[in-house]
Amino acid sequence: MIAKNTMKAVGLYKYLNVEHSESLIDVEIEKPVPVGKDLLVKVKAISVNPVDTKVRAPKDKTEVSPRILGWDVAGVVEQTGPECTLFQPGDEVYYAGSITRPGGNSEFHLVDERIVGTKPSTLDFAQSAALPLTAITAWEALFDRLGVSHNKDINTGKVILIIGAAGGVGSIATQLAKYAGLTVIGTASRPTSIDWVKTMGADHVINHHNSFVPQLNALGLQHTDYILCLNSTEQHWQNMAEAIAPQGKICSIVETDQPLNLTLLKNKSVTFVWELMFTRSMFQTEDMIEQHNLLNEVAQLIDSGTIRTTLAVRLEPIDATNLRKAHAMIEAGDTVGKVVLEHF
């Protein structure tokens, strides 16, 4: 029998509104071959993130070959490149991949093993696919960018405000912050999202549509030591500047079209830092393997029952119709947790 050298995928040639039937289409493309440190992974489940909708968003551009999106994968290693040392065929893995390479919305996918983790053994593939991009983002934001200690004793009494706590990153960031020993205040505004944030372990929930400081005062707090902004950086900038403690730290993952008035932070000597989980893979940084390490740590925290998957919606199968549906849900802006697709 001749081995099949093509595979199913979902991609795009044109950048269109999600309602358009050609915004995402079913395609058949060449099955890739791993070289170097790449793994060839048989994709079992994927999840959708805001980055998918931003990349797919309408623009005056067309592709000669289909562009494949998708930066959350759980699957099984099919084949390894000659320089691989971390995994072997048959290993169950999960990862987010690289924004500079084809995404994982395909039957098979190539990924550098240094940004891949061993799948949590207590979760199925769909539950695992909900985690990588958001877990990497939350972990790097908390521990690498904000400098939160891994020592719970050091964090006792310290407070973090997570803006947009009901979303994918917020759901895992809340759990990791609680694991680190911080008091967590999440923001949410709808009954369903408030309930979700509490379920994820937040100590308090405030409304991001209202001024932060009076709400903090009502909780007996003057300010917060850390702020993680996961929604509309410029919209919340004034509130963040007022709520952050002197010598506190603010991290945002949301780009802005508006200039930010950094002078608002000067008198308090506040640190402001960005987090993009694709930085390490995009620039092939020397510490790329830290994403492998942290995904393995997250898997251990999952398997020990310390934190839980943030999967909220399952769709089946993985095809253009369901991916358009998932993109529309993300673009509506009212999802809690993660939307996952499984099985081709």
Side-chain angles (χ1 to χ4, degrees):
M1 179 182 287
I2 299 173
K4 185 183 177 188
N5 60 2
T6 62
M7 62 179 181
K8 294 178 183 177
V10 178
L12 61 84
Y13 287 98
K14 302 173 184 177
Y15 296 85
L16 302 164
N17 286 316
V18 73
E19 294 81 12
H20 198 292
S21 62
E22 292 184 21
S23 60
L24 291 166
I25 60 175
D26 294 308
V27 295
E28 189 95 3
I29 60 174
E30 188 176 347
K31 181 180 175 181
V33 177
V35 297
K37 294 182 183 293
D38 277 348
L39 306 174
L40 179 67
V41 176
K42 183 174 179 59
V43 176
K44 296 289 192 178
I46 59 173
S47 78
V48 181
N49 295 282
V51 64
D52 297 67
T53 66
K54 290 173 185 175
V55 173
R56 195 218 75 248
K59 56 182 75 71
D60 187 19
K61 180 182 178 184
T62 58
E63 302 289 348
V64 176
S65 56
R67 182 167 187 184
I68 311 301
L69 311 181
W71 293 281
D72 258 336
V73 172
V76 179
V77 176
E78 178 91 355
Q79 191 179 346
T80 61
E83 297 174 27
C84 289
T85 60
L86 303 175
F87 297 97
Q88 56 190 3
D91 288 345
E92 297 184 349
V93 295
Y94 76 141
Y95 59 89
S98 169
I99 193 74
T100 59
R101 303 184 68 179
N105 295 347
S106 54
E107 280 188 283
F108 296 91
H109 185 235
L110 287 183
V111 61
D112 189 305
E113 68 169 359
R114 291 171 292 177
I115 56 174
V116 175
T118 298
K119 182 184 81 65
S121 61
T122 55
L123 299 184
D124 64 25
F125 287 103
Q127 292 167 326
S128 299
L131 292 166
L133 185 144
T134 55
I136 295 169
T137 302
W139 186 286
E140 290 184 349
L142 291 170
F143 302 118
D144 296 344
R145 314 299 177 222
L146 290 173
V148 172
S149 174
H150 289 272
N151 185 331
K152 294 182 181 181
D153 294 335
I154 292 176
N155 296 329
T156 300
K158 292 187 176 180
V159 180
I160 186 168
L161 174 63
I162 300 177
I163 300 170
V169 178
S171 299
I172 196 74
T174 297
Q175 296 182 73
L176 289 175
K178 283 299 296 178
Y179 161 70
L182 296 172
T183 296
V184 178
I185 302 171
T187 79
S189 60
R190 295 173 294 111
T192 52
S193 56
I194 291 169
D195 288 345
W196 177 268
V197 172
K198 289 178 178 176
T199 300
M200 290 295 111
D203 297 285
H204 307 284
V205 183
I206 66 173
N207 191 323
H208 41 244
H209 295 302
N210 301 329
S211 296
F212 294 169
V213 171
Q215 296 182 85
L216 292 175
N217 292 166
L219 298 173
L221 300 169
Q222 286 185 294
H223 49 237
T224 178
D225 302 285
Y226 305 101
I227 296 177
L228 177 54
C229 181
L230 309 175
N231 173 269
S232 190
T233 305
E234 69 270 13
Q235 177 186 331
H236 301 296
W237 188 249
Q238 182 74 38
N239 262 327
M240 290 194 285
E242 293 171 357
I244 193 67
Q247 303 183 98
K249 295 181 179 180
I250 300 172
C251 176
S252 179
I253 70 167
V254 186
E255 66 276 17
T256 172
D257 296 326
Q258 304 297 321
L260 299 175
N261 182 6
L262 289 172
T263 304
L264 291 178
L265 310 182
K266 181 177 183 295
N267 286 352
K268 291 183 181 178
S269 298
V270 168
T271 298
F272 175 70
V273 64
W274 293 108
E275 157 60 16
L276 177 67
M277 59 76 52
F278 290 122
T279 297
R280 281 171 160 147
S281 57
M282 186 185 300
F283 295 99
Q284 297 279 299
T285 61
E286 290 183 4
D287 66 348
M288 261 180 74
I289 200 164
E290 287 306 313
Q291 292 195 344
H292 164 75
N293 295 334
L294 75 84
L295 283 172
N296 283 348
E297 287 197 54
V298 168
Q300 290 171 10
L301 291 173
I302 290 280
D303 290 340
S304 68
T306 306
I307 61 176
R308 53 185 280 193
T309 182
T310 54
L311 182 151
V313 177
R314 288 181 190 249
L315 298 174
E316 186 179 352
I318 301 170
D319 63 13
T321 299
N322 278 330
L323 267 167
R324 288 196 299 270
K325 185 185 299 183
H327 277 232
M329 293 169 70
I330 298 295
E331 289 184 346
D334 56 5
T335 54
V336 296
K338 294 297 295 293
V339 181
V340 176
L341 291 79
E342 56 186 333
H343 309 310
F344 272 95

